[in-house]
Amino acid sequence: MSQINVVPLIDVMLVLLVISMVAVPMLTQGIDVDLPQSSSELLEGSDDSPLVVTLSENGRIYVNIGVEDIYDEDEFVSLEELKDRTTKVLNARPQVPVFIRADKNLAHGRVVEVMQVLQDSGVPNVGMITEPPEI
């Protein structure tokens, strides 16, 4: 009577599990921002990739324009560079949605400065990204 030895299969599965547990946290990229919590409605999905301006706790500005390999998301920009980049994106894609991700510990004045620069660049509407409240 023949039997199938499953021990090698279990060994391989455990090795794959350990590899995936180690590799998955390394795939997470971006800037660590502690977003404020708010109960707001979800926005309808759009085919157009949004322009996301991230403000870290220390006030640095990061830009993710939704198009790969144009700007480095890990590189922070000044207010002047933000205006230049936003103007270029709006010239190429006039209907692009614009969102701000601001750390909840950041001074309100810095967010207002960035919103003013976006308005000067020609952005008609700016959305705020928040996290849903913990229940």
Side-chain angles (χ1 to χ4, degrees):
M1 194 167 161
S2 65
Q3 295 180 343
I4 296 175
N5 189 0
V6 295
V7 174
L9 176 64
I10 293 171
D11 290 343
V12 169
M13 295 304 292
L14 288 174
V15 168
L16 290 175
L17 177 67
V18 169
I19 290 172
S20 63
M21 288 173 58
V22 170
V24 168
M26 289 184 219
L27 297 177
T28 304
Q29 297 178 357
I31 298 122
D32 188 25
V33 175
D34 191 12
L35 293 175
Q37 297 181 352
S38 171
S39 58
S40 57
E41 296 180 19
L42 294 175
L43 295 175
E44 294 295 323
S46 171
D47 292 339
D48 202 9
S49 298
L51 174 98
V52 179
V53 179
T54 302
L55 299 167
S56 64
E57 186 177 8
N58 58 7
R60 289 186 173 171
I61 304 169
Y62 300 87
V63 180
N64 180 354
I65 62 172
V67 179
E68 295 180 18
D69 299 331
I70 291 183
Y71 297 116
D72 184 10
E73 185 178 343
D74 295 330
E75 176 183 316
F76 63 94
V77 297
S78 66
L79 289 172
E80 295 81 24
E81 289 176 276
L82 174 64
K83 184 175 182 179
D84 291 341
R85 291 184 182 190
T86 304
T87 304
K88 288 177 185 176
V89 170
L90 287 174
N91 288 338
R93 302 184 299 157
Q95 299 300 323
V96 66
V98 178
F99 298 106
I100 294 179
R101 292 178 63 223
D103 193 285
K104 70 179 178 182
N105 299 320
L106 182 66
H108 180 71
R110 185 65 170 166
V111 177
V112 172
E113 285 178 343
V114 170
M115 290 178 78
Q116 182 63 48
V117 168
L118 293 174
Q119 184 180 16
D120 293 344
S121 300
V123 175
N125 297 315
V126 177
M128 299 294 288
I129 297 177
T130 59
E131 288 183 342
E134 295 178 7
I135 298 176

